[in-house]
């Protein structure tokens, strides 16, 4: 069937890269497939765990826990100070040039800065919660404080993920975040229930705290074992000024990206009760089954972009950008259509009150496909030294997103949040692909790439 040819082309390209060891992108293809497989399993496990949490706690407590955990995800990205992203630039660069002194220094500094920085953010955030307790709904206060204690290890784990991805260790990079942690949260929650604790948002917060610390400690032990065979012992050279100069714009990119992704859930909680927040969160989690395609290719591609830029291989960069966009869009489209068809059944698994989120899925899917249509262009800009322009675009997108949500949610409720978020993501995708075309001469939008196979801007 003609409609299936693009998807078949994607599979043929990936399989061809796997078969041909001379293909410079073969390692990235293997990592993309491994990452994709992990994200599939992780998305499925996370989705099942969310269903179980909603069933155990009910919509009200599930909504409270969802907001608290969303704050941790947002703050966890920011508390890394950009080092969760800059690892995929500096580690490949120092490994390629054999600069082990700087490599050893960066591996130590990145993890230390993430943990200590996140600890400071934790203290400040808890202080804010108590100072503003009169303005915060009291039912959110204790779950928020408990979950915030997980922040240091959440941020630390983000840097561990980046280091593992830089060495093409997708299992060590992705399994802890997308398989072990959601599974551990569920296991700890069930344990707490078995010993007589109530099925509330506070109990779930303690489960998330225990799981985050346990998994990050285990990941650190495993990563140190792997690094011992890759990085010989020796002196460390610290270049904190250089590393911060590169990492901070990446922090802006990652931070605003996460805010764009999560702001709708947080802002819905300002105007709607926890029961409605739960419906919106369930709808967004359902679409995570689609969004993982983008994140999988993005995770597998960032350090590859860095290597093409380091070696000044413009033709290779353009060709790989073409592949990365193709790998992102067509699987996202196919998965999105499947999720849209299955949405009524999927939402009903959370409970009878959750099926009202069906229209939200259709609107949010438009934004996700808009982002997928330009591939991991933000990673391309970051790895090519254009992280500042990327940060500006994300800041503008966040402002657009917040503005639209403020205008639309009071009048349209949950649909206003979904509409505002999708429009903001469409704005983001347009700005990013135009920026890549102007600064790098590389086309990232899927439609021109179908006509121009090399991916160079016309």
């Amino acid at each position: 069937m003609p409609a299936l040819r693009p998807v078949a082309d994607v599979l043929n390209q990936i399989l061809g890269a796997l078969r041909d060891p001379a293909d410079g992108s073969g390692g990235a293809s293997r990592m993309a497939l491994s990452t994709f497989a992990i994200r599939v399993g992780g998305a499925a496990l996370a989705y099942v765990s969310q269903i179980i949490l909603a069933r155990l706690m009910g919509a009200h407590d599930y909504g409270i826990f969802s907001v608290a955990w969303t704050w941790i995800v947002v703050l966890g990205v920011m508390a890394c100070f950009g080092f969760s992203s800059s690892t995929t630039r500096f580690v490949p660069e120092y490994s390629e040039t054999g600069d082990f002194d700087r490599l050893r220094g960066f591996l130590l500094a990145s993890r230390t800065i993430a943990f200590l920085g996140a600890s400071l953010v934790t203290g400040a955030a808890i202080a804010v919660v108590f100072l503003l307790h009169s303005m915060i709904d009291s039912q959110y206060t204790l779950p928020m404080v408990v979950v915030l204690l997980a922040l240091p290890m959440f941020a630390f784990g983000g840097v561990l993920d980046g280091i593992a991805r830089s060495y093409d260790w997708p299992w060590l990079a992705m399994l802890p975040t997308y398989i072990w942690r959601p599974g551990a949260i569920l296991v700890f929650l069930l344990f707490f229930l078995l010993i007589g604790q109530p099925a509330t948002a506070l109990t779930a917060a303690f489960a998330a705290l225990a799981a985050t610390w346990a998994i990050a400690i285990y990941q650190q032990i495993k990563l140190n074992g792997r690094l011992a065979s890759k990085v010989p012992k020796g002196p460390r050279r610290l270049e904190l000024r250089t590393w911060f100069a590169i990492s901070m714009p990446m922090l802006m990119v990652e931070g605003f990206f996460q805010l764009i992704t999560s702001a709708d859930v947080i802002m819905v909680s300002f105007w709607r009760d926890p029961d409605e927040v739960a419906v919106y969160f369930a709808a967004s989690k359902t679409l995570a089954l689609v969004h993982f395609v983008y994140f999988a290719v993005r995770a597998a591609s960032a350090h590859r972009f860095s290597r093409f830029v380091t070696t000044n291989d413009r033709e290779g960069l353009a060709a790989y950008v073409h592949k990365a966009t193709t790998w992102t869009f067509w699987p996202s489209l196919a998965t999105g259509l499947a999720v849209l068809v299955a949405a009524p059944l999927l939402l009903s698994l959370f409970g009878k009150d959750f099926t009202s989120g069906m229209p939200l899925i259709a609107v949010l899917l438009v934004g996700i496909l808009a982002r997928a249509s330009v591939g991991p262009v933000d990673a391309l800009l970051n790895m090519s030294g254009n992280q500042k322009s990327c940060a500006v675009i994300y800041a503008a997108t966040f402002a657009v997103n917040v503005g639209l949500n403020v205008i639309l949610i009071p009048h349209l409720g949950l649909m206003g949040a979904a509409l505002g978020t999708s429009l903001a993501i469409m704005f983001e995708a347009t700005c990013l692909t135009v920026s890549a075309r102007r600064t790098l001469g590389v086309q990232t939008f899927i439609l021109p790439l179908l006509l121009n196979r090399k991916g160079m801007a016309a």
Side-chain angles (χ1 to χ4, degrees):
M1 294 176 62
L4 297 179
R5 287 177 184 172
V7 178
D9 288 343
V10 174
L11 295 176
N12 286 333
Q13 287 181 20
I14 295 176
L15 292 175
L18 289 172
R19 287 193 299 266
D20 184 6
D23 184 351
S25 67
S29 302
R30 285 188 290 273
M31 185 175 180
L33 286 174
S34 297
T35 305
F36 185 84
I38 295 170
R39 289 303 299 257
V40 170
L45 176 60
Y47 196 68
V48 170
S49 68
Q50 293 300 319
I51 291 172
I52 296 173
L53 289 174
R55 288 286 188 175
L56 288 173
M57 294 189 289
H60 187 79
D61 277 276
Y62 177 68
I64 295 172
F65 174 73
S66 299
V67 172
W69 185 251
T70 300
W71 272 110
I72 294 307
V73 173
V74 172
L75 293 176
V77 171
M78 294 182 175
C80 293
F81 293 97
F83 282 89
S84 59
S85 297
S86 62
T87 52
T88 55
R89 172 169 175 173
F90 289 115
V91 171
E93 177 182 330
Y94 295 151
S95 298
E96 285 283 321
T97 59
D99 192 348
F100 289 109
D101 289 0
R102 286 187 177 89
L103 178 58
R104 284 185 288 265
F106 181 81
L107 290 174
L108 174 65
S110 60
R111 288 178 281 186
T112 303
I113 290 168
F115 182 81
L116 294 180
S119 298
L120 293 175
V121 173
T122 296
I126 291 175
V128 169
V129 170
F130 283 113
L131 286 173
L132 301 180
H133 71 278
S134 60
M135 301 173 59
I136 300 173
D137 191 334
S138 60
Q139 58 194 337
Y140 286 101
T141 302
L142 284 180
M144 180 69 74
V145 169
V146 172
V147 170
L148 279 169
L149 296 175
L151 185 58
M153 276 304 185
F154 189 99
F156 185 72
V159 175
L160 299 181
D161 291 352
I163 294 171
R165 280 188 280 114
S166 299
Y167 283 101
D168 284 341
W169 297 333
W171 299 99
L172 184 55
M174 300 292 163
L175 281 176
T177 300
Y178 300 108
I179 301 292
W180 300 341
R181 187 166 64 204
I185 290 174
L186 187 57
V187 168
F188 276 110
L189 177 60
L190 293 175
F191 170 75
F192 291 149
L193 296 183
L194 286 174
I195 63 175
Q197 296 301 311
T200 63
L202 183 58
T203 303
F206 276 111
L209 171 62
T212 302
W213 275 79
I215 296 304
I217 291 171
Y218 179 78
Q219 186 181 15
Q220 163 75 348
I221 294 171
K222 296 293 289 184
L223 181 63
N224 282 343
R226 289 282 194 95
L227 288 174
S229 63
K230 289 288 186 179
V231 184
K233 293 182 179 180
R236 299 183 181 95
R237 181 170 179 177
L238 300 178
E239 294 189 348
L240 296 178
R241 180 175 297 180
T242 299
W243 297 337
F244 270 108
I246 299 297
S247 299
M248 291 306 289
M250 291 185 177
L251 164 65
M252 300 299 292
V253 171
E254 290 294 327
F256 280 117
F257 178 83
Q258 194 59 61
L259 283 170
I260 293 165
T261 304
S262 306
D264 49 353
V265 174
I266 293 172
M267 296 191 71
V268 165
S269 70
F270 294 160
W271 282 281
R272 300 290 169 168
D273 61 35
D275 297 74
E276 289 187 86
V277 175
V279 172
Y280 192 90
F281 191 76
S284 64
K285 280 297 181 182
T286 299
L287 281 173
L289 299 170
V290 181
H291 220 177
F292 71 78
V293 177
Y294 166 82
F295 283 111
V297 179
R298 184 172 180 261
S301 300
H303 63 298
R304 293 287 168 174
F305 291 144
S306 177
R307 288 188 176 126
F308 282 121
V309 171
T310 300
T311 58
N312 198 29
D313 184 358
R314 299 297 294 270
E315 289 288 335
L317 176 64
Y320 184 70
V321 166
H322 180 193
K323 290 183 179 182
T325 301
T326 304
W327 294 339
T328 304
F329 180 73
W330 294 113
S332 295
L333 178 61
T335 308
L337 294 175
V339 168
L340 191 61
V341 171
L345 173 61
L346 294 173
L347 288 174
S348 68
L349 297 176
F350 286 84
K352 60 183 179 62
D353 297 330
F354 287 83
T355 53
S356 60
M358 173 64 190
L360 304 176
I361 289 180
V363 174
L364 289 169
L365 179 60
V366 175
I368 289 177
L369 293 180
R371 179 175 284 156
S373 71
V374 298
V377 61
D378 59 329
L380 171 63
L381 291 172
N382 276 338
M383 296 299 109
S384 60
N386 295 285
Q387 60 272 11
K388 291 183 180 179
S389 62
C390 190
V392 170
I393 291 171
Y394 274 141
T397 302
F398 175 64
V400 169
N401 194 10
V402 170
L404 289 173
N405 275 274
V406 169
I407 294 170
L408 296 176
I409 292 176
H411 299 288
L412 300 177
L414 301 185
M415 181 55 70
L419 183 61
T421 298
S422 281
L423 289 174
I425 293 175
M426 293 172 68
F427 170 81
E428 164 208 305
T430 302
C431 292
L432 287 173
T433 194
V434 169
S435 180
R437 182 183 175 91
R438 288 179 177 176
T439 58
L440 299 172
V442 175
Q443 179 62 261
T444 66
F445 185 41
I446 187 66
L447 292 182
L449 287 177
L450 294 177
L451 302 175
N452 183 8
R453 302 293 292 180
K454 291 183 179 181
M456 298 298 292

